[in-house]
Amino acid sequence: MKFTRNEAIRSIESTQDWDVTIIGGGATGLGIAVDAASRGYKTLLVEKYDFAKGTSSKSTKLVHGGVRYLANGDIKLVMSALKERGLIFKNAPHVSFVQSFVIPSYNFFGKMKFLIGLKLYDWLAGNLRIGKSTLLNKAEVVEKLPKVKQKNLIGGIQYFDGQFDDARLALNLGQTAHENGAVVLNYADVTAITKNSEGIVNGIEFIERDSNKKYTIRSKSVINATGIFVDDILKLDVATHKNLVRPSQGAHIVIDKKFLGNIDALMIPETSDGRVLFGVPWHDKVLLGTTDTPLNEHQIEPRPLEEEIEFILNTADAYLENAPKREDVLSVFAGLRPLAAPTSSDSNSTKEISRDHKLIKSNSGLVTITGGKWTTYRKMAEETVNMAISVAALPYKECTTTTLQIHGYSTEKRDGHWQVYGSDTEEIKKLIIETPSLGNKLHERFDFIEAEVVWASRNEMIYNIEDFLARRIRFLLLDAKSSLEAAPRVAALMAQELQKDQNWIDEQLASYNALVKNYTL
């Protein structure tokens, strides 16, 4: 069965009962689908938007243990995350990479404090350690970060952590779940949680976006893995439910790589307000972020606040010569983290809230997972499926995901953006042999080609041009205005593949044009 929406809908229509049904197609939900399906449970996942449309595609692109959590004394979370970081490197090497980070030091005490902390960080990783933290002199720091401010610079520290492509890994998890027998469907909006006469959850109702057809699903267990939207689903279970989650916004800006230097990333451990800021090479650009701003409401397309953009630019200016200005920003984006709602009087503090995940079993048997971080998605999934097994009295089967290779698995190193396709790369390039024009670039300044649109239409479950430009390739996040220039050709190719008409093309281009305004200054 192909990984397409039509095939998924056909499977749903021909299946009466499911063991595990997951609401939410971000990192956590997709990880749960992989876990449940690979154990042999009949698994369904439905997502209201596209896979990783929300927080899971808006991260800082780091698969890491969390240096700042170590500073907060959260040793357990760091150890768990470092182990999971190692497993991502083993199971999905095509989308995860070792990244060198440099912390520039402007005073001796700070340098030694961070060195001790990072030595502990290395030690906690055990045999999954990916590099050794070392002291650098001033010349070595400047060699690695040519654009760093040199006044009062006394040296620095180099350490190693992980980087990845979040939206590509999310898609690969969906494909891996599918290959293990799960059915996953995007653009499926859950409207009700169904219950038996005793008030126990026994399924869901959802509307498929394209046809507006309503489906009723019977399932032994239902899992709520909707991130910042968990409270919306919990209110379908209990109308009087009080919110568990308070969103915290993390904003990022994308700039040209000339503003940072070589292949090393910049880590600023103590900004003016105590936050950590990263400058990370990513897809031949540089990502600067992130912020940590408490909000009172959640939405699927958050816009970075003006104060966040200013904070990032001002912090960069404090550490970089010829730092980027507003006119140098190629794209801005924000993601919302689901943090536990604060109970203290200080409703604007997010620093004391644990980034660890929480598992909740409702009286109805609905299982909810919230919190956590991308790096620990696999462990979160394992614990969630274990709870679902217990709650729904499913026959117990062992978790297999510690050694399960993710779709696209390949240890071969490929040039440029082809790396994140892994083993699918050769299949995409075969399309060019059949139709040479598919080798044409989508934009003169980027290496993305037309064959990728055709491939994604046939094999990556894209529904609109945003799915492709924002998440299957990362064009929207890398250079928003340039992605808009490529949109007409993408729409035409998708329309041909998905049998859509000119009205659809016009609607897609109008919608994408409006979206791009959210990603530009």
Side-chain angles (χ1 to χ4, degrees):
M1 188 177 82
K2 277 194 157 189
F3 191 72
T4 65
R5 299 190 75 254
N6 288 340
E7 289 290 344
I9 291 165
R10 274 195 280 272
S11 292
I12 290 167
E13 289 177 343
S14 64
T15 304
Q16 295 297 312
D17 295 284
W18 305 83
D19 295 321
V20 178
T21 295
I22 302 137
I23 309 169
T28 308
L30 291 163
I32 293 166
V34 170
D35 187 296
S38 62
R39 295 197 206 198
Y41 298 117
K42 193 143 195 64
T43 303
L44 171 68
L45 178 146
V46 289
E47 160 58 41
K48 183 175 181 178
Y49 303 102
D50 184 30
F51 308 120
K53 156 77 172 169
T55 311
S56 295
S57 64
K58 309 283 181 59
S59 75
T60 314
K61 324 305 177 195
L62 301 180
V63 48
H64 62 141
V67 174
R68 68 183 176 126
Y69 307 136
L70 191 62
N72 294 339
D74 206 338
I75 302 290
K76 179 186 169 194
L77 176 60
V78 173
M79 287 188 71
S80 174
L82 287 170
K83 177 187 175 185
E84 295 303 318
R85 179 188 70 179
L87 294 178
I88 290 173
F89 282 146
K90 283 187 175 181
N91 297 329
H94 60 297
V95 288
S96 58
F97 325 95
V98 175
Q99 174 66 54
S100 160
F101 289 79
V102 175
I103 303 176
S105 298
Y106 295 86
N107 67 78
F108 179 77
F109 175 74
K111 184 162 83 165
M112 298 316 296
K113 179 178 75 171
F114 296 127
L115 179 66
I116 292 166
L118 288 164
K119 287 290 187 184
L120 175 60
Y121 190 63
D122 293 344
W123 180 75
L124 289 172
N127 60 4
L128 293 173
R129 189 175 77 179
I130 57 175
K132 183 181 179 183
S133 300
T134 55
L135 280 175
L136 303 175
N137 61 35
K138 180 178 177 177
E140 289 170 326
V141 172
V142 174
E143 182 188 357
K144 293 181 179 301
L145 298 176
K147 304 300 184 182
V148 73
K149 282 202 170 166
Q150 296 184 37
K151 186 179 179 182
N152 299 323
L153 179 69
I154 63 168
I157 304 152
Q158 181 181 31
Y159 76 99
F160 296 87
D161 226 326
Q163 190 192 41
F164 76 137
D165 190 303
D166 47 11
R168 290 300 308 180
L169 178 54
L171 172 70
N172 291 160
L173 290 174
Q175 293 167 313
T176 306
H178 164 79
E179 288 160 3
N180 281 273
V183 174
V184 300
L185 180 65
N186 53 3
Y187 297 97
D189 186 6
V190 173
T191 53
I193 291 173
T194 60
K195 300 176 183 178
N196 64 18
S197 58
E198 296 172 349
I200 303 301
V201 168
N202 65 1
I204 62 168
E205 292 177 357
F206 71 86
I207 294 173
E208 191 275 311
R209 175 88 66 90
D210 199 41
S211 65
N212 280 324
K213 184 176 177 181
K214 186 176 182 179
Y215 290 85
T216 301
I217 298 300
R218 291 203 303 264
S219 183
K220 293 171 186 171
S221 68
V222 175
I223 297 169
N224 172 14
T226 52
I228 56 167
F229 298 102
V230 290
D231 289 314
D232 298 353
I233 301 300
L234 285 164
K235 283 170 186 171
L236 293 178
D237 180 35
V238 177
T240 57
H241 164 78
K242 290 184 179 178
N243 286 356
L244 288 170
V245 163
R246 171 87 182 274
S248 169
Q249 180 159 291
H252 301 80
I253 67 172
V254 178
I255 55 175
D256 193 274
K257 64 180 179 180
K258 70 182 181 184
F259 290 103
L260 187 61
N262 299 327
I263 59 173
D264 298 276
L266 167 69
M267 196 272 220
I268 302 168
E270 290 179 342
T271 60
S272 59
D273 67 351
R275 286 181 283 201
V276 170
L277 195 84
F278 293 98
V280 188
W282 188 65
H283 285 305
D284 215 33
K285 305 295 180 189
V286 167
L287 195 70
L288 288 176
T290 180
T291 58
D292 194 6
T293 308
L295 300 179
N296 290 316
E297 56 185 36
H298 58 271
Q299 54 184 312
I300 191 62
E301 270 297 343
R303 163 88 183 177
L305 303 175
E306 190 60 37
E307 65 205 59
E308 294 180 298
I309 294 163
E310 286 299 313
F311 169 77
I312 295 172
L313 289 172
N314 289 340
T315 304
D317 186 53
Y319 284 86
L320 298 175
E321 301 285 3
N322 303 313
K325 305 288 189 270
R326 289 179 68 89
E327 58 267 26
D328 298 310
V329 174
L330 301 171
S331 186
V332 298
F333 64 92
L336 300 181
R337 308 178 192 93
L339 304 183
T343 54
S344 68
S345 57
D346 183 6
S347 61
N348 285 322
S349 172
T350 64
K351 291 179 183 175
E352 301 308 316
I353 300 172
S354 173
R355 262 52 175 186
D356 212 345
H357 58 278
K358 289 183 173 61
L359 260 174
I360 302 156
K361 178 178 81 73
S362 299
N363 292 334
S364 64
L366 176 68
V367 173
T368 296
I369 174 80
T370 187
K373 56 205 291 277
W374 237 120
T375 310
T376 56
Y377 86 88
R378 190 213 62 82
K379 182 63 175 172
M380 291 162 63
E382 179 182 350
E383 292 178 14
T384 305
V385 173
N386 285 343
M387 178 179 276
I389 291 169
S390 173
V391 170
L394 297 172
Y396 182 77
K397 298 173 184 178
E398 287 288 337
C399 172
T400 64
T401 56
T402 55
T403 56
L404 183 67
Q405 292 181 353
I406 303 303
H407 178 93
Y409 176 96
S410 173
T411 56
E412 183 181 335
K413 295 302 174 191
R414 294 174 170 85
D415 293 334
H417 77 289
W418 291 109
Q419 174 64 34
V420 297
Y421 282 110
S423 61
D424 285 338
T425 302
E426 283 67 36
E427 295 302 313
I428 300 169
K429 291 183 175 179
K430 282 180 187 175
L431 296 174
I432 306 168
I433 298 171
E434 298 164 13
T435 311
S437 64
L438 293 180
N440 295 340
K441 285 186 173 186
L442 293 173
H443 193 284
E444 61 183 2
R445 292 198 309 275
F446 290 81
D447 290 335
F448 306 122
I449 60 173
E450 293 187 2
E452 294 172 75
V453 186
V454 173
W455 173 263
S457 299
R458 296 177 185 176
N459 301 285
E460 295 185 349
M461 211 179 279
I462 53 174
Y463 178 70
N464 55 42
I465 64 173
E466 179 204 334
D467 297 342
F468 178 76
L469 286 166
R471 289 173 291 279
R472 302 307 184 271
I473 64 174
R474 312 311 305 276
F475 207 165
L476 175 63
L477 271 60
L478 294 170
D479 190 330
K481 287 179 182 174
S482 295
S483 79
L484 190 59
E485 295 168 14
R489 186 60 187 143
V490 171
L493 287 163
M494 279 186 66
Q496 189 175 346
E497 285 295 318
L498 303 178
Q499 285 89 53
K500 301 294 184 181
D501 59 17
Q502 187 61 43
N503 285 339
W504 180 87
I505 292 175
D506 294 341
E507 289 169 4
Q508 286 293 306
L509 293 176
S511 175
Y512 192 70
N513 188 65
L515 178 72
V516 165
K517 292 174 183 174
N518 222 35
Y519 288 76
T520 51
L521 296 183

